[in-house]
Amino acid sequence: MNNFNIDPGLGDDVDQTAEMARPDQSVSRPSEPSTNSLPAPSGPATSAILQRQLDGLMAVFGAVSTALLVVDDHGIVVMANPEAARLFGPMHTLLHVSLANLLLTGATAADAVPLLDDDALSMVMQQKRWKADNVRIHPVGRPDFPADFTLIPYDTEGRRNAVVVITDNTDREPARAQLEWQATHDPLTGLSNRAILLDRLEHALLLAARSGLWPTLIFLDLDRFKSVNDQLGHSTGDRLLVEAAERIKRSVRAADTVARIGGDEFVVLCEALERTDIAHQVAARILLAMEEPYDFNGEGVHISASIGIMQGDASMSAAEDLLRNADLAMYRAKENGRNRIETFDTVMHGEIRRRIDMERALREALDNDELSVVYQPIFTTAHGALVAFEALVRWEHPTFGKVSPLEFIPLAEETGLIAALGERVLDIACRDAASWRDAAAYTIGLHVNVSGRQVSASNFVSYLSRVLRHHHIDPSSLTLELQESVLLDNPERAVARLVALRELGLRIAIDDFGVGYSSLAYLRRFPLDVLKVDRQFVAGIAQSPQGQQVLQAIVDLAAGLDYSVIAEGVETTEELTSLCNLGFEYAQGYLLAAPMSPAEALLLAAASIVPESAEHADAVQR
Ligand code: C2E
Ligand code: MG
Ligand code: MG
């Protein structure tokens, strides 16, 4: 039996079990679709076969749990199945109705508009297939629901019809919403994530190109968050991040996007700010909110933040660029002392461009072995006897020219190139020292500067002993020059590392002594051999009784701790005389000798073979 009943009078959707309806009996049953058609039966049994196929199709049409609507070329519903009636209303209210009036979509019922108005529908009907996913539909007088749509046009009797397939997603909604949320949010703080931030920023940039109101990014990084994590544990760290997120949200407007894009990195996107100074005010408000101590089990924890502001403008069209610039401005805030706000400017841009180019060039220089090493002698103050050479790295680039190590060493540290650079310098310096020793027939001391990151690398001690063995260098002739910051950043680890280095038999000098937090009492904790007093203490020492007192105190305390003392940057004979009188045994500086090539160093070493200098060499290497 054909269960396809034509019942224009169906009044109640509950009662429509397997039935479909057409507006009236005169509407022909769907004829074979021109595409996707069943094989056309032929011969005497044609009409019976056709009937069977049609009955089968209609049975399916009535039974599927997907809503199906057939519309004619004017977008008028000519057939609907029971599932469609369940979703949209009694069958008689569906038929003859324009699809545009049936499929109303919007965030709420009040602002619902046709999913496809008549114009859109006629365009869509020209295509093969049209799809819309997860659209919220508001049927008149019925509960709204999320649905996927597919519209499949087909031709029948020379006219274009379409089947609209509607899948009700109500059951899948919670899971889908959950997935969508996870893809766009930070699970810890509930803030937007990087992806959604960039998405909104791109959108804001597109709008700004028309409106002229450019978006601003406020990039915030908590200061010394790592130590909170290390000292108070990760769960306290997490709680702090959640609280910080709340404080940021409270400091900005509801329309602003607040995102967490990394461990302790937050970004606020302010779209279309009328005035540029407003961003600064918002950032200042955030800093203020951060000042309040965090309460963890009655313990107050203070943590400040550094903020970078990037104001978009017509020259900036890539969201990633804007974000990177905001990050750089934040970085500058850290450099300038933390707990402050810096705004990205074009000067910064120039500097950053140079850094990026220089990083690439430095990488190439390392690959192509373009770094060289020069040597500055260290002499006794009393007799001017040569005791050691300090290795100083040099880099000359075709475009940048001679780049100072004061510029490229920090760059190498930031980019991780320092490990390769340090190994290179050590290798060259040990090779040169071996050649002087062989030529001059005595051992001259070698000082090599090493950076904090280099020393803390786990393989540093083993690399060092390998290089020394390779070049047959007596470890006791090598002094490593370290800066104080290396010790102070992580004192326990530094002590362990220094002990391991000294066990190799070499010596440790503190370079640029006096410019950091130096306290001799503090330094007593570290196994050290030499203090190299920074040249700012040496400059003008002859005319400064106060400066002389400071140097005298350093010399006396160093003697108490059994450290040797070297004065660096000696430029005048007056300075040298004063240093000599103060009890400095060793000196280095342009007055005595500027850094020189390895060949010049060899000549100097060869010319310095006098018993006295050999004695002093022993003394300073003691
Ligand atoms: P530093 O170790 O304190 O080296 C002394 C710096 O002072 C050298 O600058 C040297 O050329 C300069 N100098 C020497 N005598 C005088 C003087 O009488 N007056 C003045 N005004 N300056 C003098 P340079 O070679 O530019 O090195 C700068 C810094 O770069 C070094 O300071 C050191 O911290 C770092 N550095 C150099 N080579 C290396 C290296 O191979 N590895 C590492 N990690 N750092 C290095
Ligand atoms: Mg040095
Ligand atoms: Mg120095």
Side-chain angles (χ1 to χ4, degrees), residues 390-392 447-449 481-483 511-512 532 568 588:
E390 175 179 8
L392 295 163
H447 285 228
V448 178
N449 295 285
E481 294 193 8
L482 275 77
Q483 270 151 354
D511 202 354
D512 307 335
K532 260 188 113 167
E568 65 179 9
Q588 188 183 20

Side-chain angles (χ1 to χ4, degrees), residues 216-259:
T216 303
L217 290 180
I218 300 176
F219 195 117
L220 176 147
D221 187 293
L222 297 178
D223 295 331
R224 304 199 166 93
F225 175 69
K226 192 176 167 299
S227 57
V228 171
N229 249 348
D230 291 348
Q231 286 163 27
L232 302 177
H234 284 262
S235 71
T236 304
D238 282 355
R239 279 169 59 200
L240 195 147
L241 289 172
V242 171
E243 170 76 30
E246 277 307 312
R247 292 183 187 189
I248 298 169
K249 265 202 320 214
R250 282 203 300 270
S251 313
V252 303
R253 290 189 297 206
D256 297 333
T257 300
V258 183

Side-chain angles (χ1 to χ4, degrees), residues 500-568:
L501 287 169
R502 280 170 109 230
E503 276 171 3
L504 290 181
L506 49 81
R507 295 154 15 104
I508 308 289
I510 293 302
D511 202 354
D512 307 335
F513 181 75
V515 295
Y517 307 85
S518 343
S519 126
L520 276 175
Y522 190 74
L523 287 180
R524 198 198 301 265
R525 295 175 52 185
F526 302 100
L528 304 172
D529 306 278
V530 182
L531 296 185
K532 260 188 113 167
V533 179
D534 193 72
R535 68 169 166 274
Q536 76 182 46
F537 291 89
V538 173
I541 193 67
Q543 295 82 39
S544 165
Q546 220 178 358
Q548 290 182 14
Q549 277 174 11
V550 173
L551 286 189
Q552 188 65 66
I554 293 177
V555 170
D556 293 346
L557 282 165
L561 292 168
D562 204 20
Y563 298 159
S564 302
V565 197
I566 303 177
E568 65 179 9

Side-chain angles (χ1 to χ4, degrees), residues 181-509:
W181 193 90
Q182 280 170 359
T184 51
H185 288 79
D186 163 40
L188 178 67
T189 59
L191 297 178
S192 301
N193 65 11
R194 187 189 187 94
I196 205 81
L197 173 78
L198 286 173
D199 198 52
R200 295 212 180 132
L201 181 56
E202 265 159 25
H203 184 69
L205 285 167
L206 283 177
L207 292 181
R210 282 214 223 139
S211 70
L213 291 175
W214 294 91
T216 303
L217 290 180
I218 300 176
F219 195 117
L220 176 147
D221 187 293
L222 297 178
D223 295 331
R224 304 199 166 93
F225 175 69
K226 192 176 167 299
S227 57
V228 171
N229 249 348
D230 291 348
Q231 286 163 27
L232 302 177
H234 284 262
S235 71
T236 304
D238 282 355
R239 279 169 59 200
L240 195 147
L241 289 172
V242 171
E243 170 76 30
E246 277 307 312
R247 292 183 187 189
I248 298 169
K249 265 202 320 214
R250 282 203 300 270
S251 313
V252 303
R253 290 189 297 206
D256 297 333
T257 300
V258 183
R260 177 172 172 240
I261 63 163
D264 61 344
E265 290 176 336
F266 298 88
V267 176
V268 181
L269 163 64
C270 306
E271 294 182 34
L273 286 187
E274 298 81 18
R275 294 200 327 269
T276 49
D277 60 326
I278 297 179
H280 206 275
Q281 288 170 17
V282 176
R285 219 164 37 231
I286 296 175
L287 268 199
L288 201 65
M290 291 289 159
E291 271 177 13
E292 194 69 16
Y294 293 79
D295 181 8
F296 294 120
N297 308 326
E299 196 183 338
V301 175
H302 282 269
I303 186 159
S304 58
S306 299
I307 293 185
I309 297 178
M310 175 65 204
Q311 171 71 52
D313 62 40
S315 69
M316 282 273 150
S317 56
E320 287 279 4
D321 288 351
L322 238 75
L323 187 60
R324 198 200 54 227
N325 290 354
D327 187 1
L328 292 167
M330 182 283 295
Y331 187 76
R332 179 60 58 89
K334 293 249 181 222
E335 276 182 340
N336 289 349
R338 299 189 172 98
N339 193 22
R340 54 184 295 135
I341 303 165
E342 292 290 344
T343 304
F344 185 87
D345 58 34
T346 42
V347 179
M348 238 182 241
H349 191 256
E351 286 172 21
I352 284 147
R353 189 70 256 161
R354 180 176 159 89
R355 269 159 78 126
I356 292 169
D357 292 344
M358 196 176 273
E359 180 193 336
R360 193 177 305 126
L362 185 58
R363 226 174 260 284
E364 282 166 12
L366 279 163
D367 286 346
N368 304 334
D369 215 359
E370 286 164 11
L371 296 177
S372 61
V373 179
V374 293
Y375 298 92
Q376 188 175 29
I378 300 172
F379 299 98
T380 63
T381 49
H383 302 96
L386 174 70
V387 287
F389 283 109
E390 175 179 8
L392 295 163
V393 64
R394 291 291 176 262
W395 177 32
E396 187 165 356
H397 183 265
T399 0
F400 295 119
K402 285 184 180 162
V403 189
S404 163
L406 294 175
E407 185 170 13
F408 71 82
I409 295 282
L411 182 70
E413 292 204 300
E414 275 163 38
T415 53
L417 292 172
I418 193 71
L421 186 151
E423 289 187 359
R424 195 77 206 103
V425 171
L426 258 172
D427 186 53
I428 298 174
C430 287
R431 187 197 63 201
D432 289 341
S435 74
W436 304 326
R437 176 201 57 213
D438 296 344
Y442 75 98
T443 300
I444 303 156
L446 174 68
H447 285 228
V448 178
N449 295 285
V450 284
S451 86
R453 272 193 70 167
Q454 217 181 326
V455 178
S456 45
S458 57
N459 61 352
F460 181 65
V461 178
S462 59
Y463 176 80
L464 194 61
S465 65
R466 237 187 3 262
V467 172
L468 291 172
R469 267 201 315 276
H470 178 75
H471 294 289
H472 306 291
I473 295 287
D474 176 1
S476 69
S477 66
L478 178 66
T479 303
L480 296 182
E481 294 193 8
L482 275 77
Q483 270 151 354
E484 271 169 282
S485 54
V486 181
L487 312 180
L488 302 180
D489 284 349
N490 187 339
E492 284 77 31
R493 210 176 49 199
V495 169
R497 195 35 65 95
L498 296 191
V499 168
L501 287 169
R502 280 170 109 230
E503 276 171 3
L504 290 181
L506 49 81
R507 295 154 15 104
I508 308 289

Side-chain angles (χ1 to χ4, degrees), residues 573-599:
T573 43
E574 291 79 12
E575 286 166 2
L576 185 62
T577 311
S578 300
L579 291 165
C580 215
N581 294 338
L582 285 165
F584 274 85
E585 271 181 282
Y586 306 102
Q588 188 183 20
Y590 293 162
L591 172 73
L592 305 164
M596 56 187 73
S597 69

